[in-house]
């Protein structure tokens, strides 16, 4: 949804700007019928599959699935935050941003916190150059093969020994506590969080310092210490080195995820500047999504020991919700005792690149792991295989990728794919009423859209929102959930009636980052084979069929009540009317 900026402002903004102009300034487009066509800027392709609809005010790539309004395009292409993208479009459209957007009054500006963290980063870098005790830090970095240029590029610094070096330099205790740079113990004693450590600033995609990782210089524990959660630093979202990757290549062909800060820096030192690291926690879905918006190919590179394989499996589990057609995730396990830092220093960049090319696709690693300790020749073993696969397959979004992986699992288990999909979705164990209550979205199965009256009505509304004005009985449909997707259809009807100027792109923007986003985009880009001249008649027919289906469901319910002798007088009147 639009967040703190009022929806009405977003709707008007998207109605004023022309997405074809926005995209056309950044991507070479040519007119193709009523749309514009070009090479997708979000994945490498030689045959154009990227379309921009000026009528509907959205873009869609049939190759990688990228889609969105003008706002999302600026967010993805120019790497802007939501509010920044809105502000840029508002300036182009001659509109003033709301002075106080909804909920914003309670959200103070974080600029002082960013400024303080930046000052701390510069102070750590200065200590690496000038502090009397810096030599140990310099010797350590040299022993790892790093030079001054790479240290400067990554902003590496030094936190000297002592309890209050940073505290004395930056002085203000409360902001330092908020930034996670000092620790307060019982009794009120305050001291520096980072002491006698190599300091790695963690930056957001705009280059602002949001936190730090500190590597100890002796045998102390913990070996690596990270900033705590703060208003600007969230471990489950940030990625060390992503800013530096984007400084080198705006659209990298792939990104390598490694386990440590030094691995990222060492790979960059040896000509591989496209590595990032998570921050001491399991790779999250948010982090995977962030990476897959930057590149179509993510390679997880972990140690081959038990700990590395556990980390890889957690990464796989959290990556599944982000897997869609056109995206690729692979896994590379290094020999025991080796890490990317040591391998690239010993064998060179080309050898390491060759290993990356041999990384196993997510599907291969998933199947291999599920087959471990499982007898695939026996019926019991294959049943166990399916049971282990089921919760993982459930995490995948409806898409071609999900369908293809389902086919592969079904083939190994010697099952029909449709039956396996029923097992995974819970349909094979549920009655009709339960199935209907679970299938609330008009979401199509991967690859194609099954034509139903509700789905067709939604698709036509997304093509021409003004069709909603034909429906005079929306109030009677509100609150009903007898048909899959009906509550969403009612929501779209009410939105289109209440805001008659809303564009298809603005409707889809309303549902960005919601549970309905994927289904709506499939229907918005579905070729329903209804010509423009026949939209009104087809929509009216679809709505009539929706009403007939609702009447049939209601009659079926009343028949059950009648047979049980439970029909009330009002229900008898309704039953009589419906039987005519």
């Amino acid at each position: 949804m639009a967040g703190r900026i009022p929806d009405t402002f977003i709707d008007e903004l998207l109605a004023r700007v022309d997405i074809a102009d926005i995209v056309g300034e950044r991507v070479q487009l040519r007119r193709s019928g009523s749309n514009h066509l070009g090479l997708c800027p979000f994945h490498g392709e030689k045959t154009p599959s990227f379309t921009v609809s000026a009528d509907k005010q959205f873009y869609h790539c049939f190759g990688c699935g990228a889609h969105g309004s003008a706002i999302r395009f600026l967010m993805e292409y120019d790497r802007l935050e939501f509010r920044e993208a809105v502000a840029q479009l508002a300036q182009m459209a001659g509109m003033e941003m709301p002075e106080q957007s909804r909920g914003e009054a309670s959200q103070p500006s974080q600029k002082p916190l960013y400024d303080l963290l930046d000052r701390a980063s510069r102070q750590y870098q200065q200590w690496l150059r000038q502090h009397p005790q810096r030599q140990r830090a310099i010797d350590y970095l040299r022993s790892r093969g790093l030079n001054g240029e790479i240290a400067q590029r990554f902003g590496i610094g030094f936190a000297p020994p002592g309890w209050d070096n940073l505290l004395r330099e930056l002085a203000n205790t409360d902001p330092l506590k908020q930034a996670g740079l000092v620790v307060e113990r019982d009794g009120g004693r305050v001291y520096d969080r980072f002491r006698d450590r190599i300091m790695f600033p963690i930056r957001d995609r705009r280059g602002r310092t949001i936190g730090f990782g500190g590597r100890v210089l002796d045998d102390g524990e913990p070996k690596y210490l990270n900033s705590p959660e703060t208003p600007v630093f969230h471990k489950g979202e940030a990625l060390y080195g992503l800013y530096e990757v984007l400084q080198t290549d705006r659209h990298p062909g792939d990104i390598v995820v490694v386990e440590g800060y030094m691995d990222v820096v060492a790979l960059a030192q040896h000509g591989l500047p496209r590595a990032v690291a998570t921050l001491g926690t399991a790779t999250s879905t948010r982090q995977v999504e962030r990476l897959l918006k930057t590149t179509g190919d993510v390679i997880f590179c972990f140690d081959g020991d038990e700990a590395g394989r556990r980390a890889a499996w957690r990464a796989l589990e959290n990556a599944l919700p982000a897997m869609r057609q056109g995206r690729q995730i692979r896994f590379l396990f290094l020999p025991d005792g080796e890490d990317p830092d040591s391998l690239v220093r010993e064998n060179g960049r080309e050898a390491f690149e060759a290993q990356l090319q041999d990384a196993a696709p997510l599907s291969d690693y998933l199947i291999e792991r599920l087959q471990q300790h499982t007898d695939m020749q026996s019926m019991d073993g294959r049943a166990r295989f399916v049971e282990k696969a089921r919760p993982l397959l459930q995490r995948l979004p409806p898409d071609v990728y999900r369908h293809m992986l389902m086919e592969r699992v079904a083939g190994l288990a010697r099952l029909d794919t449709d039956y396996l999909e029923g097992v995974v979705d819970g349909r094979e164990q549920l009655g009709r009423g339960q199935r209907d209550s679970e299938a609330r979205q008009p979401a199509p199965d991967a690859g194609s859209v099954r034509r139903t009256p509700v789905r067709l009505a939604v698709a036509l509304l997304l093509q021409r929102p003004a069709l909603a004005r034909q429906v005079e009985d929306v109030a009677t449909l509100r609150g009903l959930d007898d048909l899959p997707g009906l509550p969403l259809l009612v929501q779209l009807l009410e939105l289109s009636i209440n805001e008659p100027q809303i564009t298809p792109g603005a409707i889809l923007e309303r549902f960005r980052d919601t549970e309905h986003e994927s289904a709506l985009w499939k229907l918005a880009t579905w070729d329903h084979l209804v010509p423009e001249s026949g939209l009104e008649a087809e929509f009216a027919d679809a709505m009539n069929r929706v009403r007939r289906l609702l009447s049939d469901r209601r009659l079926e319910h009343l028949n059950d009540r009648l047979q049980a002798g439970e029909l009330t007088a009002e229900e008898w009147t309704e039953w009589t009317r419906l039987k005519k």
Side-chain angles (χ1 to χ4, degrees), residues 23 26-27 29 38-45 50 59 61 64 66 73 76-77 79 250-251 293-294:
V23 177
R26 297 159 175 82
V27 178
L29 300 174
L39 294 175
C40 179
F42 304 115
H43 81 288
E45 63 176 7
F50 182 78
Y59 67 90
C61 177
C64 70
F73 183 82
E76 301 290 341
Y77 191 89
R79 308 201 185 284
R250 189 176 190 81
H251 302 290
K293 288 178 179 179
T294 305

Side-chain angles (χ1 to χ4, degrees), residues 13 76 80 100 114 134-135 164 174 187 220 255 410 426 435 460 531 542 547 564:
L13 175 63
E76 301 290 341
L80 302 177
Q100 187 175 354
Y114 287 120
R134 70 187 186 279
Q135 196 57 47
D164 60 356
D174 287 339
I255 290 180
R435 289 201 302 270
L460 297 178
R547 296 182 186 97

Side-chain angles (χ1 to χ4, degrees), residues 20-67:
D21 292 339
I22 305 297
V23 177
E25 291 178 358
R26 297 159 175 82
V27 178
Q28 186 173 353
L29 300 174
R30 60 177 175 82
R31 182 170 288 279
S32 176
S34 61
N35 295 327
H36 296 77
L37 187 65
L39 294 175
C40 179
F42 304 115
H43 81 288
E45 63 176 7
K46 296 182 179 178
T47 303
S49 60
F50 182 78
T51 62
V52 179
S53 172
D55 294 337
K56 301 175 184 177
Q57 286 297 300
F58 65 70
Y59 67 90
H60 180 80
C61 177
F62 290 92
C64 70
H67 58 253

Side-chain angles (χ1 to χ4, degrees), residues 1-2 5-7 9-15 17-19 22-23 42 57-59 67-90 97 505-506 508-510 512-513:
M1 295 283 185
I5 300 176
D7 291 332
F9 182 85
I10 299 296
D11 297 341
E12 183 180 354
L13 175 63
L14 291 176
V17 300
D18 186 345
I19 191 172
I22 305 297
V23 177
F42 304 115
Q57 286 297 300
F58 65 70
Y59 67 90
H67 58 253
S69 64
I71 294 173
R72 173 168 278 189
F73 183 82
L74 288 183
M75 290 173 67
E76 301 290 341
Y77 191 89
D78 289 354
R79 308 201 185 284
L80 302 177
E81 298 289 354
F82 174 80
R83 186 174 181 82
E84 294 171 331
V86 172
Q88 185 167 321
L89 287 176
M97 289 285 285
L508 292 164
E509 182 63 36
R510 288 283 187 98
R512 184 166 58 86
D513 297 332

Side-chain angles (χ1 to χ4, degrees), residues 178-484:
Q178 188 183 27
L181 294 170
V182 299
V183 178
E184 183 175 11
R185 291 297 190 197
D186 292 341
R189 184 189 175 197
V190 180
Y191 57 88
D192 291 352
R193 178 179 298 274
F194 299 102
R195 307 178 307 279
D196 201 20
R197 290 178 180 270
I198 300 288
M199 298 299 294
F200 299 88
I202 302 163
R203 296 159 166 165
D204 65 10
R205 54 161 198 83
R206 293 172 60 182
R208 299 176 299 189
T209 302
I210 56 176
F212 293 91
R215 205 276 186 198
V216 72
L217 280 171
D218 53 28
D219 296 328
E221 293 292 337
K223 182 177 178 181
Y224 280 95
L225 178 67
N226 292 318
S227 291
E229 294 281 316
T230 74
V232 299
F233 179 62
H234 308 288
K235 294 179 184 178
E237 299 180 9
L239 289 157
Y240 177 72
L242 183 58
Y243 169 74
E244 287 77 14
V245 168
L246 296 176
Q247 290 298 103
T248 303
D249 186 349
R250 189 176 190 81
H251 302 290
D254 60 35
I255 290 180
V256 184
V257 182
V258 294
E259 295 187 72
Y261 302 119
M262 282 302 303
D263 294 324
V264 171
V265 180
L267 289 175
Q269 169 88 56
H270 288 82
L272 238 156
R274 59 183 198 277
V276 301
T278 55
L279 308 174
T281 60
T283 307
S284 70
T285 303
R286 292 288 298 275
Q287 289 169 325
V288 175
E289 281 284 4
R290 181 163 293 186
L291 290 170
L292 289 172
K293 288 178 179 179
T294 305
T295 181
D297 187 2
V298 175
I299 306 170
F300 287 101
C301 180
F302 292 127
D303 295 346
D305 58 14
E306 186 59 31
R309 291 186 178 272
R310 282 198 304 269
W313 188 250
R314 289 195 298 271
L316 179 145
E317 290 177 318
N318 289 331
L320 290 174
M323 286 301 295
R324 295 193 291 273
Q325 179 186 8
R327 294 177 166 187
Q328 178 171 253
I329 290 178
R330 296 183 285 155
F331 292 85
L332 172 65
F333 294 101
L334 303 179
D336 286 347
E338 297 283 5
D339 56 35
D341 179 10
S342 61
L343 277 179
V344 76
R345 281 192 286 133
E346 292 169 9
N347 303 324
R349 180 183 63 81
E350 291 183 0
F352 190 79
E353 289 271 21
Q355 286 189 289
L356 291 176
Q357 295 305 312
D358 292 334
L362 180 148
S363 57
D364 289 353
Y365 176 47
L366 183 146
I367 296 296
E368 175 195 341
R369 177 74 177 251
L370 292 179
Q371 288 182 326
Q372 285 181 359
H373 313 300
T374 302
D375 180 10
M376 296 298 292
Q377 301 307 310
S378 71
M379 182 180 68
D380 291 348
R382 293 194 299 275
R384 176 177 169 79
F385 170 73
V386 170
E387 191 58 33
K388 291 194 295 183
R390 178 180 173 180
L392 300 171
L393 295 172
Q394 287 173 334
R395 294 177 65 84
L396 289 165
D399 189 76
V400 171
Y401 183 87
R402 181 183 193 263
H403 185 74
M404 293 178 70
L405 186 54
M406 201 84 74
E407 283 185 326
R408 185 172 177 187
V409 172
L412 291 168
R414 304 178 194 175
L415 293 174
D416 179 78
T417 302
D418 289 340
Y419 175 78
L420 177 61
E421 288 185 337
V423 170
V424 169
D425 294 337
R427 296 194 304 271
E428 293 301 326
Q429 288 82 14
L430 299 174
R432 187 193 64 213
Q434 289 171 296
R435 289 201 302 270
D436 290 347
S437 68
E438 288 198 355
R440 293 306 178 207
Q441 300 180 37
D445 289 334
S448 63
V449 177
R450 186 167 63 87
R451 200 181 191 90
T452 69
V454 171
R455 286 177 181 160
L456 181 58
V458 169
L460 297 178
L461 271 178
L462 291 174
Q463 183 169 347
R464 189 189 292 177
L467 292 170
R469 292 199 291 270
Q470 294 184 16
V471 183
E472 298 178 352
D473 58 345
V474 177
T476 65
L477 303 175
R478 189 184 303 118
L480 300 178
D481 58 359
D482 299 76
L483 293 176

